[in-house]
Amino acid sequence: MKNRIGFWQEEIGLQEEALEMRTEIVRVGQGREAFTPQEEEALLRAGNIIKQGGLVAFPTETVYGLGGDAMNPESARKIYAAKGRPSDNPLIVHICRWADIGLVAERVPEAARRLGEAFWPGPLTMILPKAARVPKETTGGLDTVAVRLPSHPAARRLIALGGGFIAAPSANVSGRPSPTSAAHVEADLQGRIEMIVDGGPVGIGLESTILDLTVEPPQILRPGYVTEGMLQRVLGSVEAGRPGTEAQGAPRAPGMKYRHYAPAGELLVVEGPPREVVAYINRRTALDREAGEKTGVMGTQELLEQYRADVVKCVGRHGDEDGIARRLFSVLREFDSEEVTKIYSESFPAQGLGQAIMNRLLKAAGHRVVKL
Ligand code: TXA
Ligand code: MG
């Protein structure tokens, strides 16, 4: 079945001729621990696709991943092609049991053991020196490797059935918001991959925290659900990723240098006291409408009915960071489906999980922020 060519696919130069594969969609688990015999059979087929060098998108607790065999250089090449992603952007290797970390990393420092005990399985990715058997194609030419042991039951079962090592970036076309449901994956990758394992909507909604353990003190390269404070409690000291540092010199998480998470419309973040934020956004959207734009607002429940834009979307309740994290990418995608051209978003406090929320939101906005 052929996918509709979207603006984002044109933008990164994906060709329609490439969309020839039939993408099978199988439903699995929906968050349950146990699988039915049919689901087991589907996961077995998915695992075989991975072992044979094919690609399968699958749910994790953070976002959906686009999986291929991490030990097969050809699989890495296919992942880059399907996503339209530059091949110097390394992939995360997903494992399904602690013991396998030693097969991916050359050395496993004591800090990694403590972190594994505290946060694995779960939304933390560790950067470690790469073992020789991991191909350079998987690590984008780097001598280090990103390793993660996800907690989602379907992810772990698939990794086990797929040979134990699945390289997976987020299952979106490069530059778009990460997928938090199988429908998002389908919109981006249908016709480009063999299978989508639909495990329902994800629980967290933002990608894993990435921690570089090859430097001292360890450095957060991408904030996520495992916060700076949580890491500090286990490690003593960690260096927080400073916003904007990726721009200077070689970025440590190469992916962070690319345009990310962006909706098609122009997104502006508006920060300030709630009443002023509402007034400012309403003034701007009124002007935009006169200029023929379709306007959108992403706001918190409490302020929602005060906005006058064409499309007003609720990202969650004020202060409910878990809810906001879970809905963020999906709301950004909804503006795309409604062809909104000017989007305004409230800003959120950048503490705890808020750090990851603001990291993604500011990237999506290309760092366009108005402070009132
Ligand atoms: O939650 C997640 O991490 C999801 C799910 C599917 O596991 N995956 C994900 O992958 O977000 P991706 O490829 O979209 O983002 C991985 C990030 C990129 O910014 C990449 O540059 C960085 O991790 N990365 C991977 N290997 C690295 C390495 N050896 N050194 C530094 N950064 C690395
Ligand atoms: Mg990604």
Side-chain angles (χ1 to χ4, degrees):
M1 195 167 170
K2 292 216 168 180
N3 195 353
R4 185 179 71 85
I5 285 273
F7 58 88
W8 63 88
Q9 290 164 330
E10 281 164 17
E11 193 175 281
I12 60 166
L14 295 182
Q15 301 298 311
E16 183 147 26
E17 304 83 73
L19 308 176
E20 280 166 356
M21 202 178 280
R22 198 183 81 84
T23 302
E24 188 189 355
I25 301 175
V26 296
R27 289 171 70 88
V28 157
Q30 308 289 317
R32 278 180 289 109
E33 288 285 336
F35 302 113
T36 64
Q38 289 86 343
E39 290 171 340
E40 260 298 321
E41 190 269 337
L43 287 168
L44 188 62
R45 276 192 296 125
N48 284 333
I49 292 171
I50 301 265
K51 283 186 187 164
Q52 287 157 18
L55 303 184
V56 175
F58 63 99
T60 81
E61 67 279 18
T62 57
V63 300
Y64 273 73
L66 168 56
D69 181 355
M71 299 303 175
N72 180 348
E74 192 47 42
S75 297
R77 273 191 281 271
K78 283 189 193 165
I79 289 173
Y80 293 122
K83 266 186 80 96
R85 176 180 194 159
S87 59
D88 66 342
N89 192 354
L91 307 171
I92 296 174
V93 178
H94 296 69
I95 57 177
C96 61
R97 49 179 192 199
W98 167 261
D100 289 343
I101 191 175
L103 298 176
V104 175
E106 195 182 46
R107 283 186 308 283
V108 181
E110 178 52 28
R113 282 175 210 290
R114 289 209 303 275
L115 290 165
E117 226 159 77
F119 303 116
W120 275 7
L124 174 69
T125 297
M126 302 190 221
I127 309 288
L128 295 167
K130 179 179 96 62
R133 67 163 67 74
V134 181
K136 287 255 181 179
E137 284 78 358
T138 298
T139 62
L142 298 176
D143 294 326
T144 54
V145 62
V147 195
R148 167 157 130 76
L149 201 174
S151 63
H152 195 292
R156 294 175 67 182
R157 191 74 188 126
L158 176 63
I159 297 163
L161 293 169
F165 305 94
I166 294 189
S170 49
N172 51 287
V173 159
S174 191
R176 298 208 77 215
S178 295
T180 55
S181 74
H184 297 161
V185 180
E186 206 185 333
D188 279 19
L189 296 176
Q190 189 192 83
R192 303 180 175 284
I193 61 178
E194 278 83 356
M195 190 184 265
I196 299 172
V197 175
D198 178 355
V202 300
I204 293 178
L206 300 179
E207 308 85 346
S208 63
T209 305
I210 301 182
L211 184 69
D212 187 353
L213 287 166
T214 68
V215 292
E216 193 47 49
Q219 193 184 356
I220 300 172
L221 302 185
R222 178 174 74 184
Y225 195 79
V226 176
T227 62
E228 190 184 335
M230 290 159 77
L231 293 169
Q232 239 147 22
R233 280 194 284 280
V234 173
L235 291 178
S237 87
V238 291
E239 193 179 329
R242 284 164 308 229
T245 43
E246 314 103 52
Q248 294 138 29
R252 297 277 277 293
M256 301 304 272
K257 76 187 172 196
Y258 300 107
R259 196 174 98 105
H260 255 86
Y261 317 121
E266 191 178 290
L267 172 63
L268 182 73
V269 177
V270 184
E271 189 184 314
R275 195 178 305 162
E276 287 177 39
V277 169
V278 171
Y280 178 87
I281 291 179
N282 283 341
R283 272 200 312 277
R284 288 284 301 253
T285 51
L287 290 171
D288 288 338
R289 278 157 95 171
E290 278 171 31
E293 307 278 359
K294 184 164 182 187
T295 58
V297 172
M298 179 161 77
T300 44
Q301 180 69 48
E302 291 77 2
L303 299 180
L304 227 50
E305 62 182 26
Q306 299 180 47
Y307 292 113
R308 301 283 165 264
D310 298 312
V311 178
V312 178
K313 299 267 178 201
C314 178
V315 69
R317 298 193 151 279
H318 177 81
D320 174 16
E321 293 177 333
D322 284 3
I324 294 170
R326 202 178 309 120
R327 291 215 13 93
L328 181 69
F329 286 145
S330 152
V331 171
L332 289 176
R333 278 177 178 262
E334 287 169 23
F335 286 120
D336 279 358
S337 8
E338 301 197 34
E339 296 177 339
V340 173
T341 55
K342 294 276 186 186
I343 309 161
Y344 297 86
S345 174
E346 291 173 22
S347 185
F348 308 99
Q351 284 117 38
L353 180 55
Q355 218 179 352
I357 293 171
M358 284 309 289
N359 170 274
R360 307 306 192 276
L361 181 60
L362 290 174
K363 271 177 189 290
H367 294 274
R368 281 184 297 261
V369 190
V370 170
K371 295 190 176 155
L372 302 175

